[in-house]
Amino acid sequence: MPSITEKELLQFLKAIEEGAIFLRPESNPQDIYAGNVAYTASNGWRITIFNDCNTWDYVDKVITADGRSVGFDSIDNDMPTAREYLPADEIAWRRYGIPGYCRFQCTQCDADLDFDLRKAPFLCDPCKALRKHDS
């Protein structure tokens, strides 16, 4: 089966940026401070992003709904534009849930989290209080 073309990959990444395709992470991206974060996309594709110190680093792998795939080595060696792709920090946070270099953010209000709150469920004190109040 042929792999994903660079054009297809870039169109997919653009659709994520624009919000036309939504991502659902398999686990909270902030739980994976350094490592691969896997997502299922609303179009049936799967994408894995390498998160380095809570910074979106690179695309590690993409698998289409029909089973075609492309991995890091092919992207790095054969797809120069895709290799250099890097979303803006705001896109990395809004679309991928990756907050930025050495940052942890509240998943409800985007506030930076104090050291003792840098764990699941990644909520600041006011948002935790609201959640308890609403329960």
Side-chain angles (χ1 to χ4, degrees):
M1 182 176 291
S3 75
I4 300 168
T5 66
E6 183 174 34
K7 181 178 178 181
E8 287 176 298
L9 177 56
L10 292 170
Q11 288 172 336
F12 177 58
L13 294 169
K14 182 177 180 182
I16 293 169
E17 273 197 30
E18 294 172 346
I21 293 176
F22 298 95
L23 299 176
R24 184 178 38 84
E26 291 181 7
S27 60
N28 190 308
Q30 294 184 96
D31 272 339
I32 305 170
Y33 183 71
N36 282 330
V37 181
Y39 303 84
T40 300
S42 58
N43 67 347
W45 289 30
R46 294 187 315 250
I47 185 170
T48 303
I49 302 299
F50 188 81
N51 176 6
D52 187 12
C53 300
N54 267 357
T55 302
W56 196 106
D57 198 6
Y58 59 84
V59 175
D60 187 69
K61 187 175 192 176
V62 175
I63 303 171
T64 64
D66 64 8
R68 294 176 298 124
S69 66
V70 65
F72 173 78
D73 288 338
S74 291
I75 295 167
D76 194 42
N77 295 324
D78 305 323
M79 299 182 175
T81 304
R83 177 183 59 232
E84 298 302 319
Y85 174 81
L86 185 65
D89 290 344
E90 182 68 14
I91 296 295
W93 172 241
R94 294 279 175 227
R95 303 295 186 226
Y96 296 89
I98 299 175
Y101 182 69
C102 293
R103 290 182 70 191
F104 289 83
Q105 288 182 255
C106 177
T107 56
Q108 294 296 310
C109 73
D110 301 335
D112 285 327
L113 295 177
D114 294 330
F115 184 78
D116 60 327
L117 298 174
R118 294 178 177 184
K119 58 188 178 292
F122 299 100
L123 296 171
C124 64
D125 286 332
C127 289
K128 273 187 185 177
L130 281 174
R131 183 175 274 184
K132 281 183 183 179
H133 178 72
D134 291 341
S135 296

